[in-house]
Amino acid sequence: MRFIIFVLIVVLANTYYLFGQEIEEVTIGSQTWMAKNLDVVTYRNGDTIPRVTDPKALYTRTYGAWMYYNNDPANGEIYGKIYNGYAVLDPRGLAPEGWHIPLNKEWKTLEIYLGMSQEEADKTGYHRGTNEGSKLAGGSNLWIDGDLKNNNEFGKSSFNGLPGGYQLYKSRNLGETAMWWSSSLKLSSDSVLSIRHLEATDSSIVSDAIFLFAGCYVRCIKGPPLSVNCNNPGDINIKIYPNPAQDEIHILKYEGRIAIFNSLGIEVWNGYVQEGASIDISGFAEGCYIVRMKDRIAKFIKW
């Protein structure tokens, strides 16, 4: 007996304006994504993000920056801006208000909705799943010939992933690769972020990681980055004390970069901590906060 499994993809598209800029969005399953790559020059608080004009120079920066592929604004009109990983992690917020840069697990949610199994989604590297990459892609005239655009499911999700290449010591792979940041640090490093990319020669989605000095595109997802629920203690192997706290907290059994979010999902603190070091929370408003440590979370109450 043979069974044929059909994956029904429901897509809803919408356009609205945010601070005078047109924002196109697409709802895929339970998630709403921007339908284009991010194209901003300021952080959420209004601070300017520095532009790099030398295609060889982005990888030398240790602060947030952006550039056009090969420093050509015409590429920006098509593909958006390339940002380094430092901009992704900047506490001033790269994503506009009401949006965030997806976590690794949010990319997995998208992949699973498109038909990938949980087992395949949890893998890293190439050849994960089947044709989910073709479903994410768009702009067939921009891709070089290969398995990605020749798949009959090409473009079915309306995500419209375009082959804008990426940036290391030079701009690379225009027409061959679409590459996006996640906001999840790799468990083994505080200088490497998880990414997703599509390749013209492969119909699947690649899960990989790259250093913060590299340049990739950003595709934002709607809503707060994390759901804050203080009835759930989070990872019980990570201890925060005192909890509740008034002026400062200490984190045990962890050393590395953390981010703290308020109950609205807005990032209020980001930095590297030593085990047991104190974090000043005296300026925080009263309420529940979530602490993200790579892909682990813990929670505390400020009173």
Side-chain angles (χ1 to χ4, degrees):
M1 182 179 296
R2 298 174 60 191
F3 296 90
I4 301 176
I5 299 175
F6 295 94
V7 177
L8 176 63
I9 300 175
V10 179
V11 175
L12 300 174
N14 190 29
T15 301
Y16 70 100
Y17 289 84
L18 181 67
F19 303 118
Q21 183 179 7
E22 183 180 86
I23 301 292
E24 295 182 30
E25 62 182 42
V26 57
T27 298
I28 306 173
S30 62
Q31 299 172 316
T32 298
W33 295 78
M34 286 187 178
K36 294 182 178 179
N37 293 337
L38 190 65
D39 192 20
V40 298
V41 295
T42 61
Y43 291 110
R44 190 183 301 139
N45 71 346
D47 290 350
T48 299
I49 307 169
R51 177 184 176 184
V52 173
T53 56
D54 180 356
K56 298 180 181 179
L58 187 68
Y59 82 104
T60 67
R61 302 299 189 263
T62 56
Y63 53 81
W66 68 270
M67 65 173 292
Y68 294 120
Y69 184 95
N70 209 29
N71 194 35
D72 187 347
N75 288 322
E77 290 292 323
I78 300 171
Y79 303 107
K81 293 178 172 61
I82 291 175
Y83 299 90
N84 64 11
Y86 296 102
V88 171
L89 294 180
D90 196 290
R92 290 171 288 184
L94 180 59
E97 193 72 39
W99 297 82
H100 67 277
I101 299 168
L103 296 165
N104 189 45
K105 64 182 179 181
E106 290 176 305
W107 278 109
K108 290 183 182 180
T109 297
L110 175 63
E111 293 165 338
I112 291 170
Y113 179 78
L114 294 177
M116 192 180 294
S117 69
Q118 181 71 60
E119 181 182 5
E120 289 290 307
D122 289 338
K123 293 180 180 178
T124 57
Y126 288 72
H127 311 302
R128 302 162 61 251
T130 54
N131 60 2
E132 293 79 17
S134 293
K135 294 173 184 177
L136 278 190
S140 62
N141 61 310
L142 300 172
W143 288 91
I144 66 170
D145 194 44
D147 289 348
L148 186 83
K149 77 173 187 178
N150 291 333
N151 189 280
N152 60 10
E153 293 292 297
F154 183 90
K156 287 294 180 68
S157 73
S158 296
F159 186 87
N160 199 34
L162 303 180
Y166 63 99
Q167 187 73 25
L168 288 175
Y169 61 91
K170 65 178 181 179
S171 298
R172 304 179 64 176
N173 286 26
L174 188 71
E176 302 176 42
T177 301
M179 188 174 291
W180 301 280
W181 289 109
S182 83
S183 58
S184 294
L185 287 158
K186 202 68 175 167
L187 290 177
S188 59
S189 175
D190 290 299
S191 59
V192 175
L193 281 172
S194 295
I195 59 171
R196 290 298 189 280
H197 57 102
L198 310 180
E199 299 294 336
T201 56
D202 188 353
S203 64
S204 64
I205 302 172
V206 184
S207 174
D208 208 340
I210 200 167
F211 286 100
L212 299 180
F213 59 70
C216 305
Y217 295 93
V218 170
R219 188 64 72 94
C220 296
I221 186 170
K222 201 169 190 178
L226 293 166
S227 176
V228 179
N229 175 10
C230 274
N231 293 322
N232 181 346
D235 193 327
I236 62 174
N237 294 314
I238 297 174
K239 304 296 183 182
I240 297 179
Y241 76 93
N243 189 7
Q246 187 170 27
D247 296 316
E248 64 180 31
I249 58 171
H250 302 262
I251 299 178
L252 296 181
K253 298 184 179 181
Y254 182 80
E255 179 178 334
R257 184 174 293 276
I258 72 167
I260 301 176
F261 298 85
N262 65 16
S263 59
L264 298 177
I266 298 171
E267 186 179 87
V268 295
W269 195 91
N270 187 309
Y272 189 94
V273 296
Q274 302 286 339
E275 181 179 353
S278 64
I279 299 173
D280 181 10
I281 62 167
S282 58
F284 289 15
E286 294 182 3
C288 179
Y289 291 84
I290 189 165
V291 182
R292 193 183 82 209
M293 296 151 273
K294 300 187 174 69
D295 282 334
R296 304 163 69 187
I297 62 170
K299 299 169 186 178
F300 72 90
I301 294 174
K302 165 67 175 7
W303 61 279

